[in-house]
Amino acid sequence: MNEKLRHYIDDLFANAPSTVRAVELKEELYQNLTDKYNDLIAEGKSEESAFNIAIASIGDVDSLISGLSGEKRTVNEKERKRSALITAIAISLYILSPVPVIALQDEIGMIFLFLFAAVATAMLIYNGITHERYVKTDDTMVEDFKEWKQNSKQKNKAVEAIIGSFWLIAVCVYIVVSFMTGAWHITWIIFLIAAAISSMIKGLFMLKQ
Amino acid sequence: MSVASELIRGNTETIILAQLMKGDGYGYMVNKAIFNLTGGKFELKEATLYTAFRRLEDAGCIVSYWGDETTGARRRYYSITDLGRESYRLRKKEWETAEAVIDKLLAEGEKGVSK
């Protein structure tokens, strides 16, 4: 109906996330400004001045967007501490995993190494998946945006967990193959192959996104 | 005038609640009523109006719904809740208390003039 007004509001909301809340606000603003514009025209104003008066009455839209963000954002401190603890334990398990091999000097030591590594990896993956999801505190576009951002970060974490466990498997394969064949001079090639596969996994995920 | 509008702005939410006490309304309708009531002296900026609407909605004082106009675009209507009515009465009482206090305090200046 009023293309000029529509364009102006489209520009105002150009950087707003495309959420239901933002779209509704935009629609509401457009509708109200059109009403105002039509009233001004009916009063005998020129199109130019009616448009100018209408857009002047919008005020500070940035304050509208940021004002909606709300200060009640709660950071889940407990959740974060738990996550840090799980990561710390997992890492120390990795570091400690060769100890049984050195101490026992036989296959049982190797079994313990793999066991340590398996538990540590399981912990990291669990942590990556269950890590605090951003739950929006109120239904505003800023909160919608934060949730969206957090969710995409979550996806990256899943990829990281997969790559992490993949490398661990590569190490296991390297050690097992080397022990069984005794061909230590050549088995290091396994790591080159692993690097290639890891890049491929990353590439596949990027393509999917 | 800027001080006056500052004082009025502090009561934006109460003013909107007062309008909705009369019945459901949409943004422009509420603002136009305010404009007419003040003889064209005061009008809320759109941004101020929507910020107040959202805050009232989050507080449970009002609820909104989309009207089903047969002609033209749809309008978003606001309706006051029981909590909103209660909030309006409280805010109005608070304003009356503040008004009485300020009147009393500012009247002191007049005494000095009369001497």
Side-chain angles (χ1 to χ4, degrees):
Chain A
M1 196 164 81
N2 192 327
E3 283 307 308
K4 214 171 155 192
L5 216 50
R6 173 60 86 185
H7 281 308
Y8 187 83
I9 293 166
D10 279 344
D11 281 349
L12 274 184
F13 281 79
N15 292 324
S18 53
T19 58
V20 176
R21 186 91 176 194
V23 171
E24 281 187 353
L25 179 70
K26 192 171 145 183
E27 202 50 45
E28 192 178 1
L29 186 63
Y30 173 70
Q31 186 55 45
N32 281 353
L33 286 180
T34 307
D35 283 347
K36 195 187 184 94
Y37 177 86
N38 290 340
D39 266 10
L40 288 166
I41 294 289
E43 278 170 24
K45 293 268 194 315
S46 73
E47 285 188 12
E48 185 67 30
S49 71
F51 174 79
N52 287 333
I53 294 169
I55 62 164
S57 75
I58 296 173
D60 189 4
V61 174
D62 289 343
S63 83
L64 178 59
I65 293 166
S66 64
L68 286 169
S69 70
E71 292 90 47
K72 25 177 186 167
R73 227 188 102 193
T74 46
V75 179
N76 201 334
E77 196 63 33
K78 231 169 101 187
E79 192 77 7
R80 209 152 59 183
K81 270 187 188 155
R82 193 190 67 116
S83 162
L85 185 70
I86 291 175
T87 311
I89 293 171
I91 302 281
S92 45
L93 278 177
Y94 277 128
I95 296 169
L96 290 173
S97 62
V99 171
V101 182
I102 299 164
L104 298 170
Q105 297 285 353
D106 60 8
E107 285 81 8
I108 297 167
M110 285 300 290
I111 291 168
F112 272 107
L113 184 148
F114 288 131
L115 216 67
F116 272 45
V119 171
T121 309
M123 285 170 86
L124 283 184
I125 292 174
Y126 170 79
N127 195 33
I129 293 167
T130 61
H131 194 66
E132 179 187 19
R133 218 174 138 264
Y134 191 86
V135 182
K136 52 183 178 172
T137 51
D138 47 15
D139 197 17
T140 65
M141 58 181 99
V142 176
E143 293 296 304
D144 281 342
F145 177 70
K146 282 181 193 159
E147 194 182 53
W148 167 80
K149 211 170 128 193
Q150 183 71 23
N151 285 347
S152 63
K153 243 164 94 186
Q154 200 82 13
K155 251 184 227 154
N156 292 339
K157 272 204 187 116
V159 177
E160 272 167 36
I162 290 167
I163 299 277
S165 59
F166 170 77
W167 274 106
L168 212 79
I169 292 164
V171 172
C172 294
V173 169
Y174 167 73
I175 292 170
V176 169
V177 169
S178 302
F179 268 111
M180 275 163 61
T181 60
W184 294 89
H185 61 283
I186 192 72
T187 45
W188 57 269
I189 284 179
I190 288 172
F191 284 111
L192 289 186
I193 298 165
I197 295 173
S198 143
S199 299
M200 266 154 67
I201 295 174
K202 274 187 205 159
L204 275 177
F205 267 98
M206 264 181 236
L207 273 180
K208 243 176 129 185
Q209 275 175 14
Chain B
M1 188 57 207
S2 72
V3 176
S5 62
E6 198 86 338
L7 281 172
I8 295 167
R9 204 172 301 140
N11 293 281
T12 304
E13 290 174 24
T14 321
I15 293 165
I16 291 170
L17 285 177
Q19 283 301 317
L20 294 177
M21 287 287 276
K22 299 188 296 184
D24 296 2
Y26 54 90
Y28 181 60
M29 188 178 138
V30 168
N31 212 0
K32 202 178 171 188
I34 292 168
F35 183 76
N36 289 337
L37 273 171
T38 55
K41 279 196 202 124
F42 187 74
E43 189 179 27
L44 292 170
K45 292 278 186 205
E46 302 285 329
T48 316
L49 186 68
Y50 298 125
T51 307
F53 274 143
R54 295 297 166 272
R55 209 175 292 145
L56 285 169
E57 203 172 7
D58 288 342
C61 289
I62 58 172
V63 287
S64 67
Y65 59 94
W66 288 91
D68 45 3
E69 264 83 7
T70 43
T71 54
R74 291 158 73 226
R75 291 201 175 91
R76 189 183 201 150
Y77 285 87
Y78 294 92
S79 178
I80 194 164
T81 62
D82 285 339
L83 189 69
R85 274 182 261 271
E86 184 57 34
S87 171
Y88 163 76
R89 275 186 279 271
L90 267 169
R91 285 164 200 251
K92 191 164 176 289
K93 204 169 273 173
E94 269 171 27
W95 167 256
E96 281 159 2
T97 311
E99 191 187 25
V101 169
I102 292 167
D103 274 351
K104 196 162 235 167
L105 291 175
L106 296 190
E108 289 297 296
E110 297 294 323
K111 285 181 192 164
V113 172
S114 62
K115 264 182 192 169

